[in-house]
Amino acid sequence: MWHNTAAFIIKYRIALLVILLTATGIMGYFAAQVKLSYEFTSAVPTDNPKYIEYQNFRKQFGEDGNLMVIGVQTDRFFSTEFFNDYAILAKDIAKVKAVENVLSVPGAITLIKDTVTSKLKVMPIAGNPPYNNVDSIRQTFENLPVYKGFLYNPYTKAYMMAVRIDKVVLNSKDRAGVINAIVDLGNAFGEKHKTEIHYSGLPLIRTQMAMKVQAEMKLFLILSFVLTAVILVIFFRSLVAVLASMMVVAIGVIWSVGTIVLLGYKITLLTALIPPLVVVIGIPNCVYLLNRYHYEYHRNPNKMKSLLRMVDRMGIVTFFTNLTAAIGFGVFFFTKSVLLKEFGLVAGINIIALFFISLVFIPAFFSFLPPPNVKHTSYLESGWVNKLLTRITNWVFEHRMTIYGFTILVCALSVWGLTKLRNDAHIVDDLPKEDKVSVDLKFFEKNFKGVMPLEIVIDTRKKRGVISGLGVIRKMDELCAVLETYPEIGKPLSITNGVKFASQQYFGGDTSYFAVPGDFGAAFLQPYLSAKNDTTKNSLFSKLLLSFIDSNKQKARISVGMADVGSRKLPALLNSIRPKVYQIFDSTKYQITFTGTSITFLEGSKFIVDSLRDSLILAFLIIFGCMVALFRSWRILLISIIVNIVPLLITAGLMGWVGIRIKPSTVLVFSVALGITIDVTIRFLVNFKQELARHDDSIADTVHRTIHDTGLSIIYTSLILIAGFGVFMLSEFDGTKSLGYLTSITLLLAMVTNLTLLPALLLWMDKVIEKKNDAATFLMGEDDNDVIKLND
């Protein structure tokens, strides 16, 4: 089959190259249209109950993740110059396109009781700048408890400005311009007053992360090209070989980005990794093929025959190595997470595409070039590599028991390390602690207890249930008081804040009246609570109803900003809150729902970790099923499993020992690494199978020959892969860093186990077979009727 394939490629090479380049041009057209994704909850499957609850909440109450906050800490806040400039900053931000409203100290409102009608009127506490009466404004503002803990912290002298942004713009490419405009205004203010400005909120966090993803995608792509090119120059000592390899992976990169667009996807934190991964994974294809081409030409200096034998010998190896790598990524498609589905499908398709690209391009391209000269094949006689392989061979043959014992010891320590693994993830987990986004988030957690949205929805189960008397509102106020006792939860916002605010101002502004009034004193509230929704200037309660009560006035929300406590602590926190909620709200009369971005993040994190675990198991089953189909031997399967589990086990144990937590980015390593490390095993075993008959079924002689035949390409391709994944360690995202160094460690371990443990186990099986005096059964299983041809 592969001989005919090779002949077909050589015969129709011009037509195949035209087709390949035409297809690349088409894919390039689509690749130019790729867009960034700004979604934050796509990790959660759409049929997940928590996801459904969150979407229902958004339909009823609007977006919870469109609030950006700006913080400043100073004891000069109410100085005339600072306060005036701060007020101007708020007005300038309000003019930024897509900013819906800005809530700040200078823009805060109060309620004034009309002496004639006894109605409450909305009035600004400050008016328009410039202000000469800042002390009076301060006195008025600090007499309004409704803003305490929300717009300011009197104990730490911290002040916050809340900026609400159009959710449509936040889900578009224009969001970066909006966020940058706001930040630029804030920075200019900070520079003028020599004060640090802090920014946070999901709009900022999402935008900053998306911009970093875009920048890193370009950086990693360039670095992966440069790094692999340098290694190839050192390896082949031929610029033509390097150029051909770079062209193969460049075509692969274009196809990968084009695939993202054709499938209707966008660039996410995961799909941004695919182009540099294509470079890293595609280069070994070129190394295997060119190494075989040079090897065959070195043996028999006939260019066309060497190209034919290259495809004949390496076609099946390259196919299965790409197939297993594609499976390692592709199994993510079978999860229910949209994020993982997209990543798995695009990566799987393009890794398989790399096989066809390299299989067509390499032989066709080199058929037009002069044959390699001595300089280009001199690496085959590399002195240091051959000495290393000779030393490895001696170790395998003379110290097998040492290899077994050391492997068992390291695996035992790794199992111990596994017991120390902890599952914990945070919303800004992937950003380093010293990054400004993380630093500013800690500022708001310290001064305002956090800004991550948590929503509690109270369903009265009947229309107008929220406003039929003040019973529900009093219960909500009681719950808000409970929530404020938690150090991780900021000041709750709900209709109760408006009711208490109105009560204080109605009864003369005395702070002692900042409370939900009794039934007798609440008569003045009923017109506001029963009013139809309107948008008149003085309709305070109409605005509150729109924000905190649904249209049927059946459901009310309590919104809180909370600290980014992580996926491990958040469930315990919610579990401690729930019993107290149901002590206040009878579960037979009310339905309580916890939702918001914090909840969906927790659910998404748990789901991704569980999905990656399941996908790893599925990858094992499919990949080792391919091994059975390729070798038809349960003994080969057993050896393959051992050799490939050991590196993964050691990496997992190392994570436990050094305190690396289980989170989506770290669990991702294992499926990716398995799909790549098995390639080395296949490369070794296919060569072993091909050489066995030539050595009269002598396993010992064949192992000796295979180490030297495959060792060179295994070492160089492993180094390329290690260096390629090592590029990710330069990322600002801890998750991407983890993918880089953990995968690199796993690949290094896999190279060692495939060159030492794998041949040692083959020799051990040789002893077992010798007892049966039937070496042939080694490659056919238990049944003598399962005999297969060892060579083509």
Side-chain angles (χ1 to χ4, degrees):
M1 169 188 172
W2 292 106
H3 182 79
N4 294 334
T5 301
F8 178 83
I9 291 171
I10 296 298
K11 183 177 180 180
Y12 298 103
R13 59 189 182 277
I14 296 177
L16 291 173
L17 281 174
V18 170
I19 293 172
L20 178 63
L21 295 176
T22 301
T24 302
I26 295 171
M27 295 300 278
Y29 168 77
F30 287 106
Q33 303 174 37
V34 71
K35 297 178 181 178
L36 280 172
S37 171
Y38 299 99
E39 287 296 320
F40 206 66
T41 57
S42 57
V44 187
T46 54
D47 60 351
N48 183 282
K50 297 294 183 185
Y51 180 83
I52 295 172
E53 288 175 354
Y54 180 60
Q55 295 306 315
N56 289 337
F57 168 84
R58 293 174 67 184
K59 290 178 182 177
Q60 293 168 346
F61 298 103
E63 185 68 52
D64 74 321
N66 64 337
L67 190 70
M68 178 179 172
V69 292
I70 303 171
V72 62
Q73 190 171 22
T74 178
D75 55 4
R76 297 182 292 115
F77 187 83
F78 286 101
S79 66
T80 301
E81 182 183 7
F82 192 100
F83 191 81
N84 273 282
D85 286 347
Y86 190 82
I88 293 171
L89 171 65
K91 287 186 174 294
D92 287 344
I93 290 176
K95 296 175 184 176
V96 174
K97 180 183 178 182
V99 171
E100 295 180 338
N101 57 69
V102 177
L103 181 58
S104 65
V105 176
I109 60 170
T110 186
L111 300 176
I112 303 297
K113 182 180 178 181
D114 190 300
T115 55
V116 178
T117 64
S118 294
K119 290 183 178 181
L120 293 171
K121 294 182 178 180
V122 178
M123 297 290 291
I125 65 169
N128 295 317
Y131 311 112
N132 296 316
N133 59 334
V134 175
D135 288 339
S136 174
I137 294 172
R138 177 177 186 173
Q139 184 178 2
T140 302
F141 177 75
E142 292 181 347
N143 193 48
L144 299 175
V146 69
Y147 298 117
K148 184 178 179 180
F150 174 54
L151 287 185
Y152 77 109
N153 184 330
Y155 308 108
T156 63
K157 304 296 182 183
Y159 299 85
M160 183 168 71
M161 183 186 300
V163 182
R164 191 168 298 278
I165 303 171
D166 184 355
K167 63 182 179 180
V168 176
V169 174
L170 287 178
N171 289 323
S172 72
K173 64 180 181 180
D174 296 330
R175 69 181 295 157
V178 173
I179 299 298
N180 289 338
I182 295 171
V183 171
D184 288 343
L185 290 169
N187 288 344
F189 171 84
E191 289 175 8
K192 179 179 179 180
H193 291 277
K194 302 297 187 288
T195 302
E196 184 178 4
I197 308 298
H198 303 273
Y199 309 93
S200 195
L202 287 180
L204 176 104
I205 293 172
R206 293 173 181 174
T207 302
Q208 293 284 354
M209 292 185 73
M211 292 169 64
K212 290 177 186 292
V213 166
Q214 187 178 35
E216 288 193 352
M217 178 180 172
K218 297 175 182 177
L219 174 66
F220 293 155
L221 195 56
I222 293 171
L223 287 178
S224 59
F225 266 103
V226 172
L227 194 59
T228 51
V230 170
I231 295 175
L232 287 172
V233 168
I234 296 172
F235 184 29
F236 289 118
R237 302 173 190 175
S238 167
L239 292 178
V240 173
V242 174
L243 177 63
S245 301
M246 291 296 101
M247 290 177 69
V248 167
V249 293
I251 292 171
V253 167
I254 293 171
W255 282 37
S256 66
V257 180
T259 304
I260 292 173
V261 177
L262 285 173
L263 292 175
Y265 302 156
K266 297 179 181 180
I267 295 292
T268 65
L269 186 60
L270 283 181
T271 54
L273 299 177
I274 293 176
L277 281 174
V278 165
V279 176
V280 173
I281 296 172
I283 288 296
N285 284 1
C286 303
V287 172
Y288 283 140
L289 291 170
L290 291 175
N291 177 236
R292 192 70 194 195
Y293 170 49
H294 292 159
Y295 175 77
E296 294 294 343
Y297 187 82
H298 186 67
R299 288 177 56 189
N300 183 4
N302 184 312
K303 183 181 74 172
M304 300 308 291
K305 186 175 182 180
S306 297
L307 289 171
L308 287 168
R309 289 186 65 82
M310 173 189 74
V311 177
D312 188 18
R313 288 287 182 178
M314 296 307 301
I316 188 170
V317 177
T318 309
F319 173 72
F320 271 95
T321 54
N322 280 63
L323 178 62
T324 53
I327 291 170
F329 289 91
V331 289
F332 300 141
F333 177 73
F334 298 101
T335 68
K336 291 185 178 181
S337 168
V338 175
L339 199 66
L340 289 175
K341 274 181 175 291
E342 293 179 2
F343 177 69
L345 183 60
V346 175
I349 289 173
N350 285 281
I351 291 171
I352 290 295
L354 274 173
F355 163 72
F356 292 103
I357 293 169
S358 56
L359 195 68
V360 170
F361 188 85
I362 293 295
F365 182 77
F366 280 90
S367 69
F368 294 108
L369 299 178
N373 56 39
V374 175
K375 176 186 174 182
H376 299 153
T377 59
S378 60
Y379 72 90
L380 296 171
E381 304 295 336
S382 176
W384 74 269
V385 174
N386 285 325
K387 287 179 182 178
L388 176 62
L389 294 175
T390 299
R391 184 168 295 182
I392 291 173
T393 304
N394 292 336
W395 256 90
V396 169
F397 278 84
E398 297 174 11
H399 302 282
R400 289 201 305 277
M401 297 308 297
T402 303
I403 294 173
Y404 301 149
F406 183 75
T407 302
I408 292 171
L409 175 62
V410 172
C411 287
L413 291 173
S414 299
V415 171
W416 190 2
L418 280 174
T419 63
K420 300 178 181 293
L421 282 173
R422 295 291 180 267
N423 186 350
D424 192 19
H426 295 257
I427 291 179
V428 294
D429 211 13
D430 282 339
L431 290 173
K433 293 180 180 179
E434 63 275 10
D435 187 272
K436 182 165 175 59
V437 173
S438 298
V439 171
D440 286 356
L441 180 62
K442 292 301 179 184
F443 169 85
F444 287 100
E445 290 179 355
K446 178 182 177 181
N447 293 285
F448 300 97
K449 296 187 178 181
V451 295
M452 295 303 172
L454 173 66
E455 302 284 348
I456 302 174
V457 179
I458 296 96
D459 184 356
T460 62
R461 295 179 176 174
K462 56 184 179 181
K463 288 185 177 182
R464 302 180 65 82
V466 175
I467 62 169
S468 58
L470 296 180
V472 173
I473 295 176
R474 288 195 188 97
K475 289 179 182 291
M476 290 176 64
D477 188 44
E478 186 179 352
L479 175 56
C480 288
V482 170
L483 294 174
E484 288 192 77
T485 63
Y486 287 86
E488 304 89 350
I489 295 179
K491 182 172 183 175
L493 295 177
S494 69
I495 191 175
T496 61
N497 300 82
V499 169
K500 291 158 69 174
F501 185 26
S503 174
Q504 175 190 355
Q505 298 307 102
Y506 189 83
F507 293 106
D510 191 336
T511 55
S512 63
Y513 285 96
F514 185 73
V516 178
D519 291 337
F520 178 76
F524 79 95
L525 289 172
Q526 289 305 319
Y528 299 101
L529 293 173
S530 303
K532 299 292 184 180
N533 293 340
D534 67 75
T535 55
T536 60
K537 180 178 178 181
N538 294 327
S539 183
L540 171 65
F541 273 97
S542 177
K543 295 176 182 178
L544 283 172
L545 287 172
L546 286 172
S547 299
F548 295 104
I549 301 178
D550 72 335
S551 58
N552 292 323
K553 299 177 183 175
Q554 175 179 322
K555 298 177 182 180
R557 67 188 276 201
I558 299 176
S559 301
V560 298
M562 63 178 297
D564 184 14
V565 296
S567 60
R568 187 180 181 191
K569 190 175 180 181
L570 183 56
L573 179 63
L574 295 177
N575 288 336
S576 70
I577 294 174
R578 282 191 178 95
K580 297 177 182 179
V581 171
Y582 286 111
Q583 285 178 0
I584 299 171
F585 291 95
D586 186 346
S587 59
T588 62
K589 297 180 180 179
Y590 302 94
Q591 181 178 341
I592 311 299
T593 303
F594 290 79
T595 188
T597 304
S598 296
I599 300 294
T600 54
F601 165 78
L602 168 66
E603 196 68 19
S605 178
K606 287 168 51 182
F607 185 82
I608 287 179
V609 171
D610 291 343
S611 296
L612 289 171
R613 179 199 61 206
D614 296 341
S615 65
L616 179 61
I617 295 172
L618 180 60
F620 259 105
L621 294 175
I622 297 175
I623 288 173
F624 290 115
C626 292
M627 297 290 284
V628 171
L630 181 60
F631 297 106
R632 305 182 193 178
S633 167
W634 68 266
R635 291 188 178 95
I636 288 288
L637 177 62
L638 178 62
I639 290 173
S640 301
I641 291 174
I642 294 172
V643 170
N644 285 278
I645 281 181
V646 168
L648 299 178
L649 180 62
I650 295 173
T651 301
L654 184 64
M655 288 171 57
W657 282 112
V658 301
I660 298 174
R661 292 172 283 114
I662 296 177
K663 51 185 179 179
S665 54
T666 54
V667 178
L668 179 67
V669 169
F670 297 99
S671 289
V672 171
L674 175 63
I676 297 173
T677 58
I678 197 70
D679 296 355
V680 182
T681 306
I682 292 174
R683 173 81 177 91
F684 191 98
L685 290 175
V686 167
N687 194 90
F688 174 82
K689 176 182 174 182
Q690 292 173 342
E691 294 291 332
L692 188 60
R694 299 178 186 177
H695 293 85
D696 299 324
D697 290 343
S698 170
I699 291 177
D701 291 342
T702 307
V703 166
H704 188 285
R705 183 69 258 166
T706 303
I707 292 175
H708 281 270
D709 284 351
T710 63
L712 183 67
S713 59
I714 286 174
I715 290 173
Y716 273 104
T717 53
S718 295
L719 290 177
I720 290 171
L721 288 166
I722 291 168
F725 278 97
V727 166
F728 295 138
M729 289 189 284
L730 299 176
S731 173
E732 292 189 58
F733 297 104
D734 284 347
T736 308
K737 284 183 181 178
S738 298
L739 177 66
Y741 67 75
L742 289 175
T743 305
S744 294
I745 290 172
T746 308
L747 294 172
L748 177 63
L749 293 169
M751 180 184 73
V752 173
T753 56
N754 277 282
L755 289 176
T756 56
L757 183 59
L758 175 56
L761 288 173
L762 290 172
L763 292 174
W764 175 68
M765 294 304 299
D766 186 26
K767 299 297 182 182
V768 176
I769 293 170
E770 282 182 0
K771 292 180 181 180
K772 297 183 178 182
N773 196 27
D774 188 4
T777 61
F778 182 59
L779 289 176
M780 37 171 159
E782 293 291 344
D783 194 339
D784 290 342
N785 293 324
D786 290 338
V787 178
I788 64 169
K789 291 179 68 176
L790 301 181
N791 297 286
D792 295 331

